[in-house]
Structures are given as structure tokens and as C-alpha cells.
Amino acid sequence: MSFLFLYFLFHLISISIVLPHQPVAVEDILGQLHTEFAVRLYRQLAETENNSNLIVSPASVAVSLGLLQLGSRGNTLAQLETALGYNVNDLGVRGFLLRMQEDMTNSSHSTQVLLACALFVHRDVQLSPAFARHGSAWANSTVQQANFTRPNQSREQINLWVSAHTAGEIRNLLSCDLTGWGVRQMALVTAMFFRGTWQRQFLLSETQSLPFSLADGSTVKVPMMHQMTDVNFGQFHTPTEYRYAVVELFYLGDAVSLFVVLPTERKTPLSLIEPHVSAHTVMLWTASLRRTKIDIFLPRFKIQNNLNLKSVLPAFGVSDVFDPTVANFKGISGRDSLYVSEATHEAKIEVTEVGTKAAAATAMVLLKRSRAPVFKADRPFLFFLRQSSTGSILFMGRVLNPLELAP
């Protein structure tokens, strides 16, 4: 039996998407621009993590920036609006985003998606009534009083909230010394958790220890899951004629699926495919994939990243939020003292068989030969977890080495 689960935590602020102010086809525009932003965010992070596995949750990052935008004013608001491409203070935009967040967190017995936000503010900060009202409706948000003059207490408070909203998977997000935190700061935390069971489960007995080719040409042995099944499958090429294959694997309920993008030629590095991924190509894939019986090989892998978004957000024009001399969050409170002190993002993903991992790694069986197409992810590949109803990319990343240990 196989399943995938991911858990995400983002401390303080993040980035989002883009939406023009036209009311026409808001759903289509927003869905496409969410995807475009997810790709942009992935590319920006990929440049800083250029030789390692990567996992990021664009959907959660978007929710965090949207909440901050509710309380920003002046140039701070303008920068966030430019980065997001829309203003959440627009009633039509906000209404649609709230409905999308509700759809995003609909869960069943087989698929679970949880999304929540918390804004921790110093005990002396009086929140604007309008922000408290609108903020509480934003992605299951809560506003919690904190005492940043007692950094260890504040750290424990935030970590306990994080643990409670990630099913205990992230228990120590803030492990550093917070004595430098001033009494006029705030912390915005967004948590996202996903657990899903494959629509067609991999059998533990089909897992073999097989070679995986790394980008430098060397190989490592990895536990490779296998099954022959009907999936959505397609073959494409970039404008420069590099060919690649895309497979879509659904989880029970069909609400969420995992896309895996693999260069067709073994000699084609993933880095030549990544720049051509865009909202347009994702839409092309979803419209062009066809149900096909294929032999699919997918390595079991686990990725964890701790990313500093303060080094990423300026590339999207967001800088004032971090500057205590110019940040304007008067929509949160009438004070001039609020600013974002840190922007970190933690994300994890694990694709595995439920049960004994050691047994899976040592199970050695012969695989059946077939004339069906073979999708063998035995070299670096790109993946993203997409929600069908909203088109939102919940998580996006790449696997360069399935055995690479999380930091």
C-alpha cells in the first residue's frame, strides 16, 4: 500500500500570485496566475538551491502574503499588490479567494488538506477592528496575543501552534534564540498539511532496489516503486526540441493529483526542461494528457527544505515589509512600529509505502516485461501536487537524489 503525505510550515510572510482587476472570468484568470506564480517562485528558489532537492508550497505562501496585504497601506500595499497581482481588499477578489481556500481545505476519509494561519502580535498592540474581522475569515486565521519580551515563551507558543496544525510533524520550527525580537514585532505563521492515498496503490512486493542516475553521471541505488496501471500520460517537447514525458497520478477522490515531469532522453538534464515550465504548459498538460496503460517506476523519496524567503521576496518587489523605518501596516494597527522581522518557509514531502520501509528497500523481485510505454523516473525529475477543482499548485519541487538527506 502506498500513500503520499506532505506537511508545510511557513513562518512570517510569503509570496503569491497575480490577478488583474477585470471581473471577467475571475476563476480562470486566478487559476492560471496562481500557477504562473507557483512556477516563478519555484524558479527563484531553484536558483539558490541549484544542486539539491527542492520542495515549496506556493499555495501557502500566497495565503500568507494575502493576509499581510489586508493590513498593509501605502507603498507597502503597492509592493504586495504588484507581487500578488491583485488587491485582497477588493470585495470580489477576496470573496473568490475565500471560496477557493474553503475548497482547498475540503477533506475526505482518504484525502486530507488542512490550511490555517495565525498572526501572533505583541500584547500591547491593539488590532484594527476591520483587520480583526476580515483577518479571522482568511484561511481559518486566528489572532493570538504574544509577549515578545519573553522570547522563549513566544517561541514555545508558536511551536505548539505549528505542531497542532501539522499533525505533530513539525514540532520545533523556531529553535533559534529569539532574544533579539523586539517588543514591536509580529509573527505570521501559515501551516499546510496534506495526506493522500493513491487511487491505485503500489504494492510493497513490487519495490526493488534500482539505480538512479544523478546529474553528475554517477548512480545510486534507491527503493523504486513499480506498477503497471492506467494513468494520464503524455509526451511533449520544448521550443528547443528537448522531449519530456508527463504522468499524472491521482489520489482517492480525484481531488488532488501528483504530476511528474521527466526528460525523455537520459542525457537531457532536468535544468534544460525547467525553464520552459509555465502556467501555459501546465494548462496544455492538463488538456492533452490521455488515459494510457503504462509501466511506471517512481522512487520512494523524502524531501525537506528550510528556505529563507527574505532573500527571495525582493526579486518580486517586496522589500518595505522588512524595513522597520518604512513598513506600513497601519491596517493591522494604528502604530507605525509593525514590520516583518523574518520570512522563513519549511516544507516536507514523503512518497512511500505505508509500513516497513526496510522491507521495501530489500524486497527484490523480477518485473514483468510489457509492450506498454515505460515511465521510469530513474533520473532527476520535476513534480507538483495540484488540486483539480481550483487548479492551485499546493506543493512543487524536484528530485535530484532520492537518497539525499533532509537538512
Side-chain angles (χ1 to χ4, degrees), residues 250-266:
F250 276 95
Y251 300 94
L252 286 177
D254 292 338
V256 181
S257 60
L258 180 73
F259 283 74
V260 183
V261 182
L262 180 72
T264 301
E265 301 295 332
R266 185 171 295 277

Side-chain angles (χ1 to χ4, degrees), residues 199-200 227-236 245-250 285 287-297 370-375:
Q199 190 176 78
R200 173 71 185 275
Q227 65 172 302
M228 182 183 292
T229 187
D230 291 324
V231 297
N232 289 341
F233 176 74
Q235 300 188 63
F236 307 88
V246 178
V247 65
E248 181 183 16
L249 302 173
F250 276 95
W285 299 340
S288 305
L289 298 183
R290 294 293 179 264
R291 206 68 178 168
T292 308
K293 181 180 288 294
I294 68 169
D295 243 343
I296 181 167
F297 295 80
S370 169
R371 294 183 179 179
V374 176
F375 185 94

Side-chain angles (χ1 to χ4, degrees), residues 321-343:
V321 298
F322 303 114
D323 189 339
T325 64
V326 296
N328 187 344
F329 289 111
K330 288 185 178 180
I332 296 178
S333 171
R335 296 186 175 188
D336 293 325
S337 57
L338 293 178
Y339 70 101
V340 176
S341 56
E342 295 296 333

Side-chain angles (χ1 to χ4, degrees), residues 7-11 161-162 166 170 173 189-191 344-347:
Y7 23 93
F8 156 79
L9 200 289
F10 159 65
H11 167 238
W161 185 92
V162 168
T166 56
I170 300 179
L173 175 72
V189 178
T190 303
T344 63
H345 177 94
E346 180 174 339

Side-chain angles (χ1 to χ4, degrees), residues 60 63-64 67 70 94 97-107 112-120 131-144 161 164-165 188-193:
S60 298
V63 165
S64 299
L67 180 59
L70 280 172
R94 189 194 309 160
L97 291 174
L98 290 174
R99 291 193 299 273
M100 188 181 74
Q101 291 166 10
E102 183 177 354
D103 290 343
M104 191 181 296
T105 54
N106 282 340
S107 299
Q112 185 179 24
V113 182
L114 301 176
L115 174 65
C117 291
L119 184 65
F120 296 85
F131 178 81
R133 183 174 65 255
H134 296 311
S136 63
W138 189 259
N140 302 312
S141 296
T142 60
V143 176
Q144 300 195 25
W161 185 92
H165 289 83
L188 171 61
V189 178
T190 303
M192 191 170 199
F193 176 85

Side-chain angles (χ1 to χ4, degrees), residues 65-103:
L65 267 192
L67 180 59
L68 276 186
Q69 196 189 64
L70 280 172
S72 61
R73 298 291 184 268
N75 195 56
T76 303
L77 172 61
Q79 289 184 355
L80 289 170
E81 186 173 355
T82 298
L84 292 167
Y86 61 82
N87 190 335
V88 298
N89 295 295
D90 181 285
L91 294 180
V93 170
R94 189 194 309 160
F96 175 77
L97 291 174
L98 290 174
R99 291 193 299 273
M100 188 181 74
Q101 291 166 10
E102 183 177 354
D103 290 343

